[in-house]
Amino acid sequence: MSDPKKHPTQLGKYRITEVLGEGAMGVVYKGFDPDIQRTVALKTIRQQIDADDDSPGGAASRFRNEAQAAGRLGHPGIVAVYDFGRDQQIAYIAMEFVEGRSLASYLSAKLRFTDTDIPGIMSQLLDALGHAHENGVWHRDVKPSNIIMTASGRLKVADFGIARIESTSLTQTHYMVGTPSHMAPEQFLGKPMDRRVDIYGAGVVLYQLLTGRAPFAGTTEALMYKVVNEDPMPPSMVEGADRPGWFDAIIRRALAKRATDRFATAYEFKQALVTGAGRSIDDSSWERTLMMAPPRAAQPPQSPPTFAPPSTAGGSSGAPPATHWDKAQLTQAEQTLAKHVGPLASVLVRRAARECQDLNELYSKLAEQVSDPRARDAFLGQASLVTGGSVKTAGSTAGAAPGSKGTKGSAGSAGSASATAIGGPLNEAVMDKAQVLLAQHVGPIAKVLVKRAAAGTDSRAVFFNRLAEAVSDAKAREKLLKELGRLP
């Protein structure tokens, strides 16, 4: 917990309402602008850091650079800067605010983006970078942790701290700055650079979306050698990636060693994706899906939010919402998937619901979004309780109840099939037997966990899923789920 005595209650005209995060450089606050009645994010630099240090790459220089670079831009895909000031010996930047998560957090959670998702994500990123380039700003640190994704799937590019602004001396062209895993060869070598360093950075992001990993790894020295001298493995050849070959040529050009061999502009990069996909890119499908979805039930808090601006772009057009699903079925699927992929579960479930006709098909399709094998097996094990049978996807071994053939019922009878397979509603007798089974894995605390899991539900599927969360070992959890599923 942060000590409130260490934090100001106000900076300039902005009233501090919450501490969003603290780091080595400074603190990010949630604030309120009383003049125009809006919430803002306030990024500050620590007082101990010399605010007059203008050395290349210096903290104060980077901080002012961020304000000036982002401040001259106005694009829905870039975090907008409202104000820069000083108060109580604290320098601050006031910017847009929204609750979102970085693209890095989704990649860390092993969320698998589909071949359709990826061009849309890259389209948003390249549009934002193209706007910055047209206004004389090169980001120079394009990476997943600087790309914020809202629950609707809209993106915002953040952190212009080391951006290069044409015709200024705030940063020096030959100074080696950036994140090693995403730096272009010319950044490592200290050679003159231009907007194509961002083309390279975007190429690394594309590679990560396709394969789940960066094209090169190792110490800084090893990375430098590989980036300058070696070609990355084509995405289509990366084990487990299973991507179409047309992405390989795009990656090869985006990550070319010589800047002159890369895409000349962000627009040209985007057009290559359109050509490869063989169709126009719809980068707002997730947003429309979310807008058409019914209200979500309250969810347990996920990881701490990352400050970023909300997107108001996009329309309400699109395919009509699926009507053959019971709202409770989709909510249950969302809650189960959210444990593995976070807030995007809402969008993924509702999009899959449009394409699937029954629960087995729905859970099988959702499992494809969980790329980590152990996490996928855990998801399928929980799914089998809801469907009353086996739910499998490529490479999966989990989800089958003993003796079950995984019958595939119609969409209209999916809910009743589940209840029949699990053996009726939740009652005291089931809870007592479940406690005995759970105690074999967690000991005496099983009594408390059973009462907690039964609170607010009469569904065996929900109850059993909650109990399974208390068992950390994947094999033990799968065993417990199977035993619970056999209760009369």
Side-chain angles (χ1 to χ4, degrees):
M1 293 292 289
S2 298
D3 182 0
K5 296 180 181 179
K6 297 191 306 180
H7 302 290
T9 58
Q10 188 155 336
L11 288 174
K13 67 177 180 179
Y14 304 102
R15 187 172 70 250
I16 304 298
T17 59
E18 186 179 340
V19 177
L20 296 177
E22 296 188 58
M25 294 293 295
V27 183
V28 178
Y29 298 103
K30 184 178 182 180
F32 184 75
D33 183 342
D35 291 345
I36 54 178
Q37 300 286 300
R38 69 178 170 192
T39 299
V40 298
L42 296 168
K43 188 174 182 179
T44 69
I45 189 170
R46 291 193 181 279
Q47 297 182 49
Q48 299 93 320
I49 298 175
D50 187 355
D52 296 320
D53 177 14
D54 284 325
S55 60
S61 175
R62 289 177 58 174
F63 195 69
R64 283 192 297 277
N65 196 64
E66 177 171 8
Q68 293 188 15
R72 67 191 293 176
L73 304 176
H75 189 275
I78 296 175
V79 175
V81 167
Y82 301 137
D83 193 11
F84 175 80
R86 294 177 185 274
D87 189 18
Q88 306 169 54
Q89 295 184 320
I90 300 175
Y92 63 85
I93 300 173
M95 59 185 66
E96 287 181 287
F97 169 87
V98 76
E99 292 184 353
R101 292 176 63 186
S102 70
L103 186 58
S105 71
Y106 288 112
L107 290 170
S108 296
K110 304 297 184 182
L111 174 64
R112 178 179 170 83
F113 294 95
T114 69
D115 296 340
T116 302
D117 297 333
I118 291 172
I121 293 171
M122 290 301 300
S123 174
Q124 293 185 60
L125 172 60
L126 293 167
D127 282 346
L129 293 176
H131 172 81
H133 295 166
E134 289 168 3
N135 285 274
V137 175
W138 319 328
H139 191 286
R140 300 203 301 177
D141 198 21
V142 178
K143 59 183 178 181
S145 59
N146 285 338
I147 301 168
I148 310 302
M149 179 180 283
T150 68
S152 68
R154 304 304 298 177
L155 301 187
K156 292 278 188 174
V157 179
D159 197 350
F160 281 74
I162 63 170
R164 169 68 157 82
I165 307 176
E166 290 180 343
S167 302
T168 77
S169 59
L170 279 172
T171 57
Q172 295 186 7
T173 306
H174 301 278
Y175 191 79
M176 193 182 84
V177 290
T179 301
S181 59
H182 293 73
M183 286 168 58
E186 59 267 34
Q187 287 176 283
F188 274 118
L189 299 174
K191 293 183 176 180
M193 63 186 76
D194 59 22
R195 65 184 65 182
R196 286 170 293 190
V197 297
D198 289 348
I199 298 298
Y200 187 96
V204 176
V205 172
L206 173 58
Y207 195 95
Q208 290 177 283
L209 291 170
L210 292 168
T211 68
R213 71 188 198 195
F216 302 111
T219 64
T220 301
E221 292 77 11
L223 275 171
M224 180 176 180
Y225 179 84
K226 292 176 181 179
V227 168
V228 173
N229 296 286
E230 297 181 2
D231 293 324
M233 179 179 293
S236 64
M237 297 179 63
V238 174
E239 184 178 0
D242 191 26
R243 298 297 185 183
W246 63 265
F247 280 115
D248 293 351
I250 295 176
I251 286 292
R252 185 165 54 250
R253 187 169 178 190
L255 300 184
K257 305 303 180 187
R258 297 190 303 175
T260 53
D261 292 334
R262 294 179 210 141
F263 298 108
T265 64
Y267 176 78
E268 186 178 343
F269 193 161
K270 178 179 175 178
Q271 288 305 115
L273 289 168
V274 173
T275 302
R279 60 182 179 277
S280 61
I281 297 175
D282 180 5
D283 63 6
S284 63
S285 59
W286 284 4
E287 185 172 25
R288 291 202 309 273
T289 300
L290 191 67
M291 293 176 67
M292 301 289 285
R296 290 198 297 159
Q299 297 292 318
Q302 301 292 332
S303 58
T306 303
F307 74 93
S311 173
T312 56
S316 58
S317 62
T323 58
H324 61 278
W325 291 101
D326 182 89
K327 180 180 177 181
Q329 292 175 335
L330 299 184
T331 299
Q332 174 67 48
E334 179 185 331
Q335 291 174 341
T336 304
L337 184 63
K339 297 180 180 69
H340 306 286
V341 304
L344 278 183
S346 173
V347 180
L348 297 174
V349 167
R350 281 159 177 78
R351 186 175 60 182
R354 300 182 193 282
E355 305 172 7
C356 302
Q357 297 302 311
D358 59 56
L359 280 177
N360 279 280
E361 185 181 3
L362 176 69
Y363 278 93
S364 178
K365 189 170 189 64
L366 293 176
E368 296 173 2
Q369 304 295 318
V370 185
S371 60
D372 180 78
R374 295 183 63 182
R376 188 189 311 117
D377 282 353
F379 172 76
L380 290 170
Q382 293 173 320
S384 68
L385 288 174
V386 180
T387 62
S390 172
V391 183
K392 291 187 177 183
T393 188
S396 171
T397 59
S404 170
K405 296 182 180 180
T407 56
K408 193 174 185 179
S410 66
S413 62
S416 58
S418 174
T420 303
I422 296 176
L426 180 63
N427 53 42
E428 291 292 335
V430 172
M431 291 170 59
D432 290 342
K433 293 176 181 177
Q435 179 180 326
V436 173
L437 293 173
L438 181 62
Q440 298 173 10
H441 300 277
V442 301
I445 198 175
K447 184 175 182 180
V448 176
L449 295 176
V450 165
K451 289 184 177 179
R452 186 181 302 168
T457 184
D458 58 1
S459 165
R460 285 200 188 192
V462 173
F463 174 67
F464 291 164
N465 282 340
R466 290 175 178 175
L467 293 184
E469 293 175 6
V471 181
S472 57
D473 181 78
K475 290 185 178 179
R477 182 170 55 247
E478 182 181 348
K479 177 182 177 183
L480 174 63
L481 286 169
K482 291 179 179 179
E483 292 172 337
L484 290 171
R486 289 197 291 264
L487 290 179

